[in-house]
Amino acid sequence: MDDVETRELRYFVAVAEELHFGRAALRLGMAQPPLSRAIRQLEERIGVRLFDRDRRGVRLTLAGEALLREAPAALDAVRAAVRRARRAGAPERRLVLATKAGSSHEFLQALLDAAPDDVPVEVVLCEIGEQAGLLRDGTADIAVMHRPFDDFAGIDAVDLYSEPQVAIVPASHPLARRRSLTMAEVSHVPDLPMARWPLADWTYPPGPGPEVHSQSQLAQLVALGRTLLVIPRSSRAWQWPEHVAVPVLDAPLATTVLAWPAGRSTPSVARLVETGLQIGAAEAAASA
């Protein structure tokens, strides 16, 4: 079997997702006849039929369904490899570190201050849950992430230190006057439902709280008295004057980690991880 070209996989994915050659051609910015020829050539190259075509339309065969499960990840891997190669060949080498905006601020500052100066560190700020994608697609080399919240599939990581969590509540709410809270108390506040972040598959868990996707959106909703959230204690860097942080005694500990794409550590990443481990050990000792 001849090697399959990434162009052919892109064409296949477009047709498989649209299940219509005309719409797929429009999506790809090409005419329909060459697209149809390319799909036939791909089927001949692989040796199986990928689509059933008749007057009722276009349907995936079992072979087509199997290829559709694998093809997007293969295309993503190719794009990531190209992105990493371009960055590795850039005139000025740099290490790209991804982190949630406002997350683990003290640790991040200490890490940047102590980072080896042979390779500059560029910080990419993102929203919650986005670090994994930045690592997988080659945009970032390393990331500050947190257990048990983030998705670590296909990612290597080292735990640095653990910390308690706090509830961020509106300063005008009665809960703001409490010295501490429990998860039961913050999970069922009729006038202040807990905000819902997207899960690893970008769907939202059930519940009455608002669906949020950015920290700025969440901060505004808390300030308006519409929601509350539970976050690691060190994430209070983005707390507004209209917010109050109250310890949640029985919330699971949040663990800060440094993470990188599985099997893709470099000497620069390894040196930054070693620096992070030293800072994490000092943080853990100070909190003991």
Side-chain angles (χ1 to χ4, degrees):
M1 183 185 72
D2 294 334
D3 291 336
V4 173
E5 299 178 3
T6 55
R7 172 182 58 85
E8 294 173 313
L9 282 184
R10 286 196 300 106
Y11 292 174
F12 164 76
V13 170
V15 177
E17 291 180 346
E18 299 290 345
L19 290 179
H20 191 282
F21 277 85
R23 290 195 297 270
L26 184 63
R27 167 175 159 179
L28 292 165
M30 62 187 299
Q32 182 173 335
L35 175 60
S36 298
R37 288 195 298 271
I39 294 299
R40 285 196 297 270
Q41 291 170 0
L42 176 61
E43 290 176 321
E44 292 172 2
R45 193 189 301 270
I46 296 177
V48 294
R49 192 175 72 255
L50 300 172
F51 297 98
D52 284 327
R53 311 164 179 84
D54 56 30
R55 293 179 179 177
R56 292 176 295 178
V58 179
R59 297 181 304 279
L60 282 165
T61 63
L62 290 177
E65 291 176 356
L67 185 58
L68 183 59
R69 288 192 293 270
E70 304 289 343
L75 289 171
D76 288 344
V78 170
R79 284 189 285 266
V82 170
R83 188 174 288 114
R84 292 188 182 102
R86 285 173 175 165
R87 290 181 46 232
E92 181 181 347
R93 293 176 57 220
R94 57 196 172 93
L95 195 66
V96 178
L97 182 151
T99 183
K100 296 185 284 277
S103 172
S104 301
H105 176 75
E106 293 84 358
F107 166 77
L108 179 61
Q109 187 62 65
L111 181 66
L112 295 176
D113 290 343
D117 56 9
D118 57 332
V119 178
V121 178
E122 176 184 337
V123 177
V124 174
L125 299 178
C126 62
E127 296 295 347
I128 287 183
E130 293 181 349
Q131 305 99 303
L134 295 175
L135 291 176
R136 296 187 189 111
D137 71 11
T139 298
D141 303 296
I142 191 168
V144 179
M145 299 174 68
H146 294 87
R147 303 187 196 276
F149 314 109
D150 290 320
D151 174 19
F152 289 90
I155 290 173
D156 290 336
V158 294
D159 294 0
L160 302 179
Y161 64 92
S162 296
E163 61 182 314
Q165 297 197 72
V166 296
I168 304 296
V169 301
S172 59
H173 196 275
L175 290 181
R177 296 191 289 273
R178 295 280 301 275
R179 296 178 63 87
S180 63
L181 293 164
T182 66
M183 285 300 299
E185 289 173 321
V186 299
S187 299
H188 304 287
V189 184
D191 63 333
L192 206 63
M194 188 177 294
R196 291 180 291 143
W197 287 101
L199 303 172
D201 61 359
W202 298 107
T203 62
Y204 284 88
E211 297 179 353
V212 296
H213 57 268
S214 72
Q215 292 186 91
S216 58
Q217 175 194 21
L218 181 54
Q220 183 74 58
L221 288 170
V222 174
L224 292 172
R226 302 301 176 89
T227 190
L228 61 79
L229 72 154
V230 176
I231 59 173
R233 182 176 59 190
S234 63
S235 296
R236 290 180 295 177
W238 61 268
Q239 184 179 333
W240 291 11
E242 294 88 350
H243 303 163
V244 170
V246 183
V248 181
L249 300 180
D250 59 346
L253 291 177
T255 300
T256 296
V257 310
L258 280 176
W260 59 95
R264 296 188 181 277
S265 180
T266 65
S268 297
V269 167
R271 286 193 292 273
L272 194 63
V273 168
E274 181 60 32
T275 301
L277 285 168
Q278 295 171 4
I279 297 170
E283 176 69 25
S287 301

